[in-house]
Amino acid sequence: MDSTEFRKRGREMVDFIADHFDNIRDRRPFPTVQPGYLQELVPEEAPQEPEKWEDVFADIERVIMPGVTNWHSPQFHAYFPTGMSYAAICADMLSDAIGCIGFTWAASPVCTELEVKMMDWLGKALKLPKEFLHCTGGQGGGVIQSTASEATLIALLGAKSNVIHKQKQLHPSWSEYKIMSKLVAYTSEQSHSSVERAALLGSIQIRHLRADDNYSLREDVLEKAIIEDKAAGRIPFFVVATLGTTSSCAFDNIKELGPVCVREGLWMHIDAAYAGSSFLCPEYRHLLDGVEHWQIPLGRRFRSLKLWFVMRLHGIKGLQEHIRNQIALAQEFKAFLLQDKRFEVVAPVTMGLVCFRVQGSNELNKCLLERLNEDGRIHLVPSQIHSMYFLRMAVCAANTESSDIAFAWNVIQEVATQLLAETDNEVNHERAHNDRQIFEMSAEG
């Protein structure tokens, strides 16, 4: 493909992407394919000769799209939103064209310098303390990680290296293995599984501490765990707090946890993978109060281009408006639930996530979720806190509107009504059967 053909095919791909998003409501949010569906559609070996663009392009619909989970569909309400905007797609095109690997300043000066600048833009927009900014001339700063899971792992490894160095100075005769065997990290029982995975990769013992009634980790629980571990000869060194947990979008109380970490000499890493962007809005910034760390990868893509494009083309006010709209849509769904006594909201609705369930057993709610996803008009996923099973309704797509929330609610009501009617019939049938048995036993008596 030369530059002439690239111009032509690039336009075709841009049109395909734009048409995809314009018509995404016509596609199922979740595919109907079965595992292994691609085996019959893709040859066992790569072609020896080049194929025509037209054939490859046609296979997008034939091979690829049937297996796509449409995370950007307004009917997709599972998990959490993924970042998508036309500005970001344009930035990705340019980043791929430049193709730099920014492992040093010389490897691509703009890759390093733009990332430094964008981190300061973002830090200032989030009203982070000056210690977090490159421009203050101190030791602070920030870099962009590939994923939140990677950020947690890097933070843990950094904290681990730091504490091992300190312990060797205090105990010259101790081996690194002996020190590591004593290390202990802490996180909430509500934290993401990636936190535990990071501890496993780092060969670190981690304790999952019980959250309060609002699913938040508090200082008294952390302090008690630290005292217990110190008494047992262990070395507490690291805490992962979450702002916007996966299960229910709960917030650990970092305003309480931070001083404990400072007093005890522990590093604290904050996982705000979902809720972090909302702190751009002044009315939600207080949830970040208590933040006091930054991590560095080596080789990295030119990711700061996306921030540069998005923040310039949308502006802080545009981003704030988008965040507020998403949160308002979640409140609309919550209002629907509160009007129907068959349902209950099981966690505070702070961001764009609503956790709810039908009044009844866990099995009933599992059945409801199964039927909703089999129906295919919307897609949800469940969660469970302690013994309570519930459904999660997340506002995911950037183009979600009030009509999409109303559509989802109508689907949920319709499926729930049918399920509850069947359940009532089964209960009535069983009750009638039991009554007949009792009557027959009485008659025999």
Side-chain angles (χ1 to χ4, degrees):
M1 182 181 290
D2 57 20
S3 62
T4 300
E5 187 176 5
F6 172 70
R7 294 176 191 273
K8 178 181 179 181
R9 303 313 183 188
R11 291 188 185 98
E12 291 178 11
M13 184 56 71
V14 168
D15 285 342
F16 177 87
I17 292 171
D19 289 342
H20 170 71
F21 285 117
D22 285 346
N23 301 298
I24 198 167
R25 288 178 176 84
D26 297 333
R27 296 182 185 269
R28 283 177 61 102
F30 193 79
T32 57
V33 298
Q34 298 299 314
Y37 89 98
L38 206 66
Q39 295 303 313
E40 300 298 321
L41 299 177
V42 176
E44 290 296 318
E45 297 180 0
Q48 295 295 318
E49 301 295 332
E51 298 185 17
K52 294 179 180 179
W53 167 267
E54 289 79 6
D55 294 335
V56 175
F57 194 76
D59 278 350
I60 295 175
E61 282 293 353
R62 185 182 73 88
V63 177
I64 303 301
M65 299 311 292
V68 168
T69 298
N70 287 297
W71 282 63
H72 300 301
S73 167
Q75 277 87 54
F76 182 87
H77 300 291
Y79 313 113
F80 285 117
T82 58
M84 193 293 294
S85 69
Y86 292 120
I89 292 174
C90 290
D92 266 338
M93 290 174 64
L94 180 57
S95 177
D96 288 342
I98 293 172
C100 67
I101 305 297
F103 51 84
T104 64
W105 179 88
S108 187
V110 71
C111 181
T112 295
E113 297 205 8
L114 187 62
E115 187 159 335
V116 167
K117 204 71 174 180
M118 290 304 99
M119 290 296 91
D120 278 356
W121 276 18
L122 185 59
K124 291 176 181 178
L126 292 170
K127 301 292 190 296
L128 292 180
K130 62 182 178 62
E131 291 79 10
F132 280 78
L133 306 180
H134 292 278
C135 61
T136 58
Q139 297 181 352
V143 293
I144 304 172
Q145 303 294 335
S146 298
T147 66
S149 301
E150 179 186 278
T152 302
L153 174 61
I154 291 171
L156 181 140
L157 294 177
K160 171 183 164 184
S161 176
N162 178 68
V163 72
I164 288 175
H165 176 72
K166 288 183 177 179
Q167 290 297 319
K168 280 187 173 180
Q169 290 180 324
L170 293 172
H171 308 282
S173 63
W174 286 10
S175 67
E176 186 168 316
Y177 174 79
K178 181 174 183 178
I179 295 171
M180 284 182 56
S181 69
K182 294 175 176 290
L183 297 182
V184 59
Y186 306 98
T187 192
S188 164
E189 62 184 352
Q190 298 299 314
S191 66
H192 192 264
S193 59
S194 61
V195 178
E196 182 175 16
R197 198 157 56 239
L200 288 171
L201 291 171
S203 301
I204 294 297
Q205 175 188 352
I206 190 163
R207 291 185 59 180
H208 292 81
L209 306 180
R210 189 163 183 92
D212 66 11
D213 292 342
N214 290 319
Y215 313 124
S216 174
L217 180 60
R218 306 296 298 273
E219 63 177 327
D220 58 330
V221 176
L222 177 60
E223 285 182 319
K224 181 174 182 291
I226 291 173
I227 291 170
E228 291 173 351
D229 285 320
K230 283 187 171 182
R234 290 185 282 269
I235 304 172
F237 79 106
F238 187 63
V239 174
V240 179
T242 305
L243 300 180
T245 59
T246 301
S247 292
S248 63
C249 195
F251 292 80
D252 290 336
N253 195 321
I254 61 172
K255 201 168 184 178
E256 293 182 354
L257 301 178
V260 176
C261 292
V262 172
R263 187 167 59 250
E264 299 290 343
L266 278 63
W267 279 27
M268 181 168 72
H269 173 70
I270 297 173
D271 177 2
Y274 169 55
S277 60
S278 69
F279 305 145
L280 287 171
C281 300
E283 61 268 35
Y284 299 112
R285 175 57 181 79
H286 69 279
L287 295 168
L288 191 57
D289 287 349
V291 62
E292 254 77 79
H293 288 309
W294 61 293
Q295 309 83 36
I296 298 180
L298 184 57
R300 62 191 189 278
R301 294 180 63 240
F302 199 177
R303 295 183 291 251
S304 58
L305 264 181
K306 294 182 76 169
L307 261 180
W308 192 55
F309 270 62
V310 169
M311 295 184 80
R312 292 187 68 188
L313 293 173
H314 291 276
I316 297 298
K317 289 184 178 179
L319 296 174
Q320 290 173 338
E321 180 182 2
H322 171 71
I323 291 165
R324 289 170 178 141
N325 287 341
Q326 298 269 294
I327 295 172
L329 291 171
Q331 292 294 334
E332 289 181 18
F333 184 74
K334 175 186 174 182
F336 282 131
L337 288 166
L338 295 178
Q339 293 170 11
D340 191 329
K341 293 182 179 180
R342 299 177 300 173
F343 295 88
E344 61 177 326
V345 178
V346 301
V349 181
T350 310
M351 298 293 163
L353 174 68
V354 183
C355 300
F356 72 100
R357 70 198 307 266
V358 145
Q359 301 274 6
S361 66
N362 284 350
E363 289 304 316
L364 181 64
N365 281 277
K366 289 177 182 179
C367 188
L368 174 61
L369 178 70
E370 182 179 337
R371 293 203 182 186
L372 284 169
N373 288 339
E374 283 178 355
D375 176 88
R377 285 175 287 174
I378 63 173
H379 186 62
L380 304 175
V381 293
S383 189
Q384 185 164 331
I385 297 179
H386 304 151
S387 61
M388 180 177 63
Y389 180 98
F390 56 89
L391 284 63
R392 299 169 70 261
M393 167 75 175
V395 181
C396 291
N399 59 339
T400 305
E401 301 172 352
S402 292
S403 59
D404 298 306
I405 300 299
F407 175 82
W409 172 241
N410 289 335
V411 171
I412 292 170
Q413 274 197 314
E414 175 189 324
V415 174
T417 297
Q418 182 178 0
L419 172 63
L420 291 172
E422 293 175 8
T423 303
D424 288 342
N425 287 338
E426 291 175 2
V427 170
N428 291 335
H429 178 76
E430 184 177 353
R431 183 179 295 123
H433 176 72
N434 291 339
D435 288 346
R436 282 196 300 272
Q437 285 187 321
I438 293 172
F439 176 78
E440 290 169 358
M441 291 173 62
S442 300
E444 290 174 1

